[in-house]
Amino acid sequence: MQQDITELFREPGQTYLSPARFATTLELDLSVLANALGVHRNTMRLHPESPRTQERMRDYNRVFLALLGLKPNVRDAAFHMKNTPVRVLGQRTLFDAVKDGDTDKALRYLQSISGGQNG
């Protein structure tokens, strides 16, 4: 059962990106995700629609969707996003690059390898 990618990180009937669904997909502890988003765990849990949470979730969503363009299997993409160090990102994972505010660098990297370059 392949889930519609546009709805992967949304709770049914909601328009905001769900930190809980993202954490589940990436097999992350909620406190790890809260730290990565730069919000308190309670804020993430009680107010997932907060502007700060959503801004950061959009960054992660953009990178994850770009990665899915290269690795269409959600589990493989999730594994690589959080576990594969990337040389051109200073040996950081894509997850850590986004956490550090380098979403555009992560996206450029994914774009470059989709064109055949390796990083």
Side-chain angles (χ1 to χ4, degrees), residues 20-109:
R21 288 185 72 138
F22 184 76
T24 298
T25 300
L26 266 69
E27 298 179 357
L28 292 170
D29 184 79
L30 287 176
S31 61
V32 170
L33 182 58
N35 181 49
L37 296 175
V39 298
H40 192 277
R41 185 175 171 173
N42 286 337
T43 300
M44 185 180 70
R45 186 174 55 81
L46 298 172
H47 302 288
E49 76 288 352
S50 74
R52 172 71 178 160
T53 301
Q54 288 303 297
E55 175 186 337
R56 299 294 289 146
M57 283 297 303
R58 280 189 297 274
D59 289 342
Y60 278 105
N61 189 55
R62 288 172 47 216
V63 171
F64 193 79
L65 290 177
L67 185 55
L68 279 174
L70 301 170
K71 296 198 171 291
N73 180 287
V74 171
R75 293 192 88 186
D76 287 348
F79 176 85
H80 287 290
M81 183 162 186
K82 68 179 190 172
N83 292 303
T84 304
V86 178
R87 181 180 47 83
V88 298
L89 297 175
Q91 294 301 329
R92 294 176 296 168
T93 64
L94 291 167
F95 183 86
D96 288 332
V98 174
K99 177 183 175 186
D100 295 342
D102 288 332
T103 302
D104 290 336
K105 286 181 185 178
L107 289 168
R108 281 193 304 272
Y109 163 72

